[in-house]
Amino acid sequence: MAIPHYTSQSHGSKREKFIAQFCAAVTSHMAHGKVSLEAIAQEFYITRGQLNRRIKAELGITAQQLSLQVRMNHAKQLLLTNDELTVADVAFQCGFEDATSFSRAFHRAFSMSPSEFRNDEIE
């Protein structure tokens, strides 16, 4: 599950900058709880439909799918770098409302549970 490596400081195209700004907005929203694509779209002064169309045109995936990729990659980093965090802690820090939905999403993305991922990487 690779996320484009765009940064807001990159000298890429306007589209690349938009994707980088979207990823940064998802990350910012994660820190404050649930990720709302509606709220992110409002930050860009566009509708959720327009947000989705722009991301789909650039990457071929929906805004929801890109948001999930950002959140799952953040979850992997947290699982690898902070073994004091529980799976529930990681879930909440990645914008999930509960550990069960996070674990299901993680398993769909990586074909293993968050705990299995953490244990495999530590060994």
Side-chain angles (χ1 to χ4, degrees):
M1 183 173 287
I3 297 175
H5 295 286
Y6 302 139
T7 63
S8 55
Q9 289 81 26
S10 73
H11 298 290
S13 72
K14 190 174 185 179
R15 287 178 161 183
E16 290 172 339
K17 289 178 184 176
F18 176 79
I19 296 298
Q21 289 170 338
F22 173 81
C23 293
V26 169
T27 301
S28 174
H29 281 246
M30 278 188 310
H32 303 292
K34 186 177 179 190
V35 175
S36 166
L37 294 179
E38 189 70 38
I40 291 172
Q42 288 176 359
E43 290 176 20
F44 287 100
Y45 302 102
I46 60 178
T47 67
R48 184 173 171 174
Q50 290 170 315
L51 175 72
N52 202 46
R53 282 190 293 279
R54 286 186 71 177
I55 291 171
K56 186 107 174 154
E58 175 67 19
L59 301 175
I61 60 174
T62 65
Q64 182 67 35
Q65 290 169 318
L66 181 56
S67 171
L68 186 60
Q69 285 182 8
V70 170
R71 295 161 70 197
M72 289 292 104
N73 284 332
H74 185 67
K76 283 172 49 177
Q77 286 303 111
L78 289 174
L79 290 166
L80 290 175
T81 60
N82 194 337
D83 58 352
E84 293 177 14
L85 290 176
T86 66
V87 170
D89 293 335
V90 172
F92 295 126
Q93 287 189 29
C94 293
F96 286 86
E97 293 181 358
D98 60 76
T100 302
S101 60
F102 166 69
S103 292
R104 281 191 200 119
F106 194 94
H107 195 277
R108 276 193 304 271
F110 303 113
S111 300
M112 66 175 66
S113 73
S115 298
E116 290 170 334
F117 174 80
R118 178 180 269 165
N119 292 336
D120 283 355
E121 294 300 318
I122 290 173
E123 294 175 357

